Amino acid sequence: MSSAANPLMAPPVAARRPVADTRHGQTREDPYAWLRDPNWREAMADPAQLDPAIRSYLTAENDYAAAQMADTEALQATLVAEMRGRIREDDHSVPAPDGPWAYYTRYRTGGQHPLLCRQPRDGGEEQVLLDGDAEAEGSAYFRLGGAAHSPDHRFLAYALDRSGAESFTLQIRDLATGETLTDRIEHGRGDIAWASDSRAFLYTVHDEEHRPRWVYCHRLGDPADADTLVYTETDPGFFLGVDRTESGRYLLIDSHDHTTSEVRYLPADQPTAEPRLIAEREADVEYSVTDHGDAWLILTNADGAEDFMIARAPIGTPNREAWAPLVPERSGRLIEGVLVFEDWLVRQELEDAESRIVIRALATGEEHVIEQPDPCVEVGLVPGMEYRTQTLRFAMSGFAQPSQVFDYDMATRERVLKKTQEIPSGHDPAAYVTRRLMATAADGERIPISLFHRADLTPDATTPLLLYGYGAYGISELPGFSPNRRSLVDRGFVYAVAHVRGGRERGYRWYRQGRQAAKMNTFTDYIACAEALIDAGYTGPGRIAAHGGSAGGMLVGAVLNQRPELFHAALADVPFVDVLNTMLDPSLPLTPPEWPEWGNPIDDPQAYADIAAYSPYDNVAPRPYPHMLVTAGVSDPRVTYWEPAKWVARLRAEGEPPGQLLLRTNMSAGHGGPGGRFQFLEEVALRYAFLLKAFGREGLAPTT
């Protein structure tokens, strides 16, 4: 590889081998279908199994991207050093008390992976329960998934992913001796729910399509093939998960897709009992449960409570007819989640992209809101491990405000700051300005935009602006702190988030109006936000960088097909861009569970037409696309590697990208990129270097 970019190096050219597909009387040709390895399941688990021809093409793309970015190697190193300088390398979480112990995670200086630790509740010698760095040795990829200690504090069950395919191996450690038991469970989802006796736990197992389908009970010391099958999910569109209620009295089995759920329960002291149903699944009715005294507390959108209510039902008769409202629904105020304690019910709410926490005394019904100083912040519950307590832990951060963790006395309303995120290289929140704007969509809806930039920057039509968007699955993107963003903002960028429909920032209807037949709203909302930022003087046409990942990468692809002239560059991280082909293939891991989100184009001609109208891969055309950096992961079970690969191949052949079009595929990782915290910084540095180069700012030193 040369030390400078090679503008004369020709980009790879993928062979065109058209495959025709006819549905609902319409025929499409897919010229790059061959990039999907027929043995993709094996390649996902072991990237060495990837078809040599496909590997050769992806490697050629990686070599081309490296050559074109070679002149930014020094800049990338600078960016990594900057971002690493904002991380306290020996950081640790605030210890969470549980009985005689307090549990926490920490990192060692230079370490890539967390250490799980505990110490006596009132202080004392640390015990390292699991050393992530030691576990990762010898693995090209490593990630620690779920981990849970037994109720008696004797054992730790934990999940390890060594491929990036999100297929976990479950193991158990005896915390009294430090020995790892011989028990070993493969193909787990990574969730663990301990039984009361601390000698058994529930876990979930994937099928061949990588869908969590079975719940088993494992008893310590038994071989995995002797584990008891507790529940089987027969609908391929539903995923399973297991949990334990805050009181510890019940184990929960949750079946769900994106808009429908069904919960079963069994006593925590009877982990192999026949699970009992709370309420039968009903299309577009979601609910989750926890127990309190003689009642279930149910967070649900049933009975027309679109923005969710909290209901009560007797433990013994929890059927739908018995659900009685405890906290009624209020339109526009979305209840996102609940935590229950012996004397308190805590809920997290979201309204107009502003989050808040409400405390309710269960004995009296009296409520109060935890005060927060700034609407442009993200506030979140931090679940603890104790049920009989009046202390709630929550976190708060903003674009310019590092995360703070508080312990809050729900009775006295006193808060104690337990930790402020430390930025070793320094950080002054007053050096930045945060704003909330509103854009107007074509149908009159008001779309929130959160943004920040340096206080000493006066934006104008020449200012580069990164506009991030997601807008899917009801996931809300709120303005929390990320120290990495400063590497762009300190070099003169405005950073903005478009709270487009498809999320839930303005209630459940915000989600409903951004999915299935209404999906186009997500893309036109984003375009409206870009235009509003131009009109407000924060940037100008052709000075915006679009950014999104996964379903947000679909957003990027769709808006570039519609309004490419607004954008100078784009980052598409593991983008879901081959939407129609994926939704037409029920053998893929996420296809049946995704139909409630996008529609089922196999059975529904209108869904086929709706998806065909925006699917980025299917709408590539001769138009001047901006500079683009696209990423993928060979082991990715969510957005399979061939989607971004096919998209880039088609953009090169049929589009008119006048600048850089780069594809970088991680050959040993999945959807989340590399598993180590500093390895991830290298990915971010590549993205930021790409943008700085695209905007001609690669030689600009950051303002401090």
Side-chain angles (χ1 to χ4, degrees), residues 83 113 121 225 243 374 389 419 430 459 466 497 532 535 552 577 611 640 657:
M83 293 184 287
H113 303 284
R121 184 186 185 113
D225 58 11
D243 203 354
D374 185 349
T389 180
K419 180 183 178 181
L466 187 149
V497 174
D535 292 343
V577 285
I611 297 171
T640 47

Side-chain angles (χ1 to χ4, degrees), residues 527-595:
I527 291 168
C529 289
E531 292 175 330
L533 288 162
I534 292 169
D535 292 343
Y538 285 97
T539 190
R543 297 297 291 169
I544 299 174
H547 185 201
S550 194
M554 176 210 298
L555 165 63
V556 169
V559 300
L560 295 186
N561 282 332
Q562 296 179 34
R563 294 291 302 278
E565 76 281 1
L566 292 174
F567 305 96
H568 183 70
L571 301 174
D573 308 333
V574 290
F576 178 33
V577 285
D578 194 12
V579 188
L580 190 52
N581 281 322
T582 295
M583 289 299 101
L584 286 168
D585 187 349
S587 74
L588 293 174
L590 294 184
T591 293
E594 297 283 283
W595 286 331

Side-chain angles (χ1 to χ4, degrees), residues 339-346 359-362 389-390 410-411:
L339 280 179
V340 67
F341 300 87
E342 187 174 46
D343 298 318
W344 307 93
L345 176 64
V346 182
I359 313 295
R360 181 186 183 99
L362 285 165
T389 180
Q390 63 183 32
M410 293 180 279

Side-chain angles (χ1 to χ4, degrees), residues 377-654:
V377 298
E378 181 177 5
V379 60
L381 300 173
V382 181
M385 300 176 180
E386 295 192 308
Y387 182 64
R388 295 176 176 84
T389 180
Q390 63 183 32
T391 300
L392 170 71
R393 183 163 290 172
F394 70 92
M396 182 181 296
S397 73
F399 273 152
Q401 177 59 56
S403 176
Q404 294 182 307
V405 178
F406 295 89
D407 276 358
Y408 183 80
D409 190 309
M410 293 180 279
T412 67
R413 306 188 186 185
E414 296 178 357
R415 73 177 75 189
V416 176
L417 178 62
K418 302 296 290 185
K419 180 183 178 181
T420 297
Q421 182 178 358
E422 185 178 336
I423 310 298
S425 60
H427 177 74
D428 179 12
Y432 302 88
V433 174
T434 61
R435 292 280 187 271
R436 170 65 54 80
L437 304 180
M438 300 296 284
T440 302
D443 61 1
E445 281 285 5
R446 303 277 284 168
I447 310 149
I449 307 170
S450 300
L451 63 85
F452 84 116
H453 57 79
R454 287 195 59 88
D456 54 11
L457 174 72
T458 302
D460 58 29
T462 67
T463 302
L465 182 146
L466 187 149
L467 182 58
Y468 179 84
Y470 189 73
Y473 307 116
I475 295 173
S476 300
E477 296 290 339
L478 299 179
F481 184 74
S482 169
N484 296 338
R485 295 173 187 150
R486 273 188 44 192
S487 290
L488 284 183
V489 171
D490 288 349
R491 288 176 170 83
F493 274 72
V494 174
Y495 185 94
V497 174
H499 302 288
V500 295
R501 280 175 281 190
R504 299 192 191 189
E505 287 93 333
R506 300 197 67 196
Y508 193 89
R509 74 174 183 87
W510 209 242
Y511 172 42
R512 176 169 45 81
Q513 292 179 6
R515 67 183 182 96
Q516 293 192 346
K519 187 61 196 172
M520 196 65 76
N521 285 334
T522 302
F523 316 130
T524 55
D525 282 0
Y526 184 90
I527 291 168
C529 289
E531 292 175 330
L533 288 162
I534 292 169
D535 292 343
Y538 285 97
T539 190
R543 297 297 291 169
I544 299 174
H547 185 201
S550 194
M554 176 210 298
L555 165 63
V556 169
V559 300
L560 295 186
N561 282 332
Q562 296 179 34
R563 294 291 302 278
E565 76 281 1
L566 292 174
F567 305 96
H568 183 70
L571 301 174
D573 308 333
V574 290
F576 178 33
V577 285
D578 194 12
V579 188
L580 190 52
N581 281 322
T582 295
M583 289 299 101
L584 286 168
D585 187 349
S587 74
L588 293 174
L590 294 184
T591 293
E594 297 283 283
W595 286 331
E597 181 75 16
W598 316 107
N600 181 348
I602 298 173
D603 299 332
D604 184 352
Q606 187 58 53
Y608 183 98
D610 291 338
I611 297 171
Y614 66 74
S615 176
Y617 179 66
D618 294 284
N619 286 279
V620 171
R623 54 173 66 93
Y625 291 93
H627 301 283
M628 297 172 64
L629 172 62
V630 183
T631 62
V634 167
S635 296
D636 191 344
R638 298 174 185 249
V639 176
T640 47
Y641 73 86
W642 59 82
E643 293 206 27
K646 289 169 57 178
W647 185 44
V648 168
R650 196 164 204 168
L651 283 164
R652 285 226 177 89
E654 300 177 19

Side-chain angles (χ1 to χ4, degrees), residues 155-232:
F155 298 99
L156 179 77
Y158 55 95
L160 306 178
D161 178 9
R162 298 187 184 276
S163 71
E166 301 178 41
S167 183
F168 291 90
T169 298
L170 274 61
Q171 296 182 251
I172 301 97
R173 182 155 296 175
D174 186 332
L175 301 181
T177 66
E179 295 180 355
T180 301
L181 305 187
T182 57
D183 309 46
R184 188 181 180 92
I185 300 166
E186 303 290 350
H187 307 300
R189 182 179 184 235
D191 48 349
I192 299 156
W194 280 97
S196 299
D197 67 359
S198 297
R199 297 301 181 271
F201 59 82
L202 299 186
Y203 65 95
T204 310
V205 173
H206 291 124
D207 63 13
E208 290 184 354
E209 276 68 44
H210 204 78
R211 298 167 189 150
R213 183 179 176 191
W214 299 286
V215 172
Y216 283 90
C217 178
H218 178 75
R219 186 156 292 279
L220 302 189
D222 290 349
D225 58 11
D227 288 352
T228 301
L229 177 62
V230 177
Y231 180 72
T232 300

